[in-house]
Amino acid sequence: MEPDSDALDRPEFLAFEGVRRPKFQDRRHLHWLLLLLTLGTTTCSGMGHYASFTVGFSLAPSGLTALQLALGGLWYSLTILAILGCHELGHYWACRYYDVDASRPFFLPVPLPLTGTLGAFIRIREPIPSKRMLFDIGIAGPIAGFLVAVPALVIGMGMSNVVELPDPLPPLTMYLGEPLLYRAVSWFFWGTPPDGFTVNMHPMAFAGWFGLLATALNLF
């Protein structure tokens, strides 16, 4: 009778010569559960973004049904999951290429109103043999995530609009930092809004912005 995969992790099994834990083995149900939970939390967050987008910066009710809000929330949730998932899969497939044992992505569901998630990560289970491999594995994630975040930002910005800012601004209004790429895409679609006006971001554009932030933090 062969030991199961969990038993192979225990030191008493690792002590026997020739007994090694199979590489790239995961409890897939855990990854799927975290993914579904993160889909739920990011969709809830996306519902808030979609409701805010439909009313601009006013305090008027959106008038949307629960189903319309949920479907609108998917603009954000599916986009951010695609960005984060591709980012981590970039690391994972680079590990597979170099035969460095690693897990599939773990998503982190958190009921935060702004993001609905703290991102995702993979677990690398063995030392990376060389600096070149370390660099390639490290850079593969940001490149893969960036290749998804940029089209998301462009498409989302195209679905955004320019609205007049109310005076005074609603309470809890947040100002987000604007990376150069975000400014360039915004200018391409909407130019420079006149005084008293601003770009009202579509939820997909916000997901692209968040993806750029996650990519920048990962590069650090």
Side-chain angles (χ1 to χ4, degrees), residues 185-211:
V185 175
S186 176
W187 179 86
F188 176 81
F189 281 102
W190 307 109
T192 302
D195 291 342
F197 288 78
T198 190
V199 175
N200 182 30
M201 290 175 64
H202 187 274
M204 192 174 188
F206 178 77
W209 175 90
F210 183 44

Side-chain angles (χ1 to χ4, degrees), residues 35-118:
L35 174 59
L36 290 175
L37 289 174
T38 308
L39 175 62
T41 56
T42 52
T43 299
C44 289
S45 177
M47 290 166 65
H49 291 302
Y50 188 70
S52 298
F53 171 72
T54 58
V55 299
F57 286 82
S58 73
L59 295 176
S62 66
L64 300 172
T65 66
L67 178 59
Q68 288 173 323
L69 279 174
L71 292 175
L74 293 176
W75 282 110
Y76 168 76
S77 64
L78 295 181
T79 303
I80 196 61
L81 289 178
I83 294 171
L84 296 175
C86 288
H87 183 121
E88 295 307 322
L89 285 174
H91 292 308
Y92 175 76
W93 285 109
C95 288
R96 294 289 297 243
Y97 178 80
Y98 286 115
D99 197 32
V100 175
D101 189 21
S103 72
R104 290 174 172 82
F106 292 94
F107 288 86
L108 299 176
V110 180
L112 295 174
L114 189 63
T115 64
T117 179
L118 289 179

Side-chain angles (χ1 to χ4, degrees), residues 159-173:
M159 293 189 291
S160 301
N161 52 50
V162 174
V163 297
E164 185 176 5
L165 288 170
D167 187 21
L169 288 173
L172 303 179
T173 299

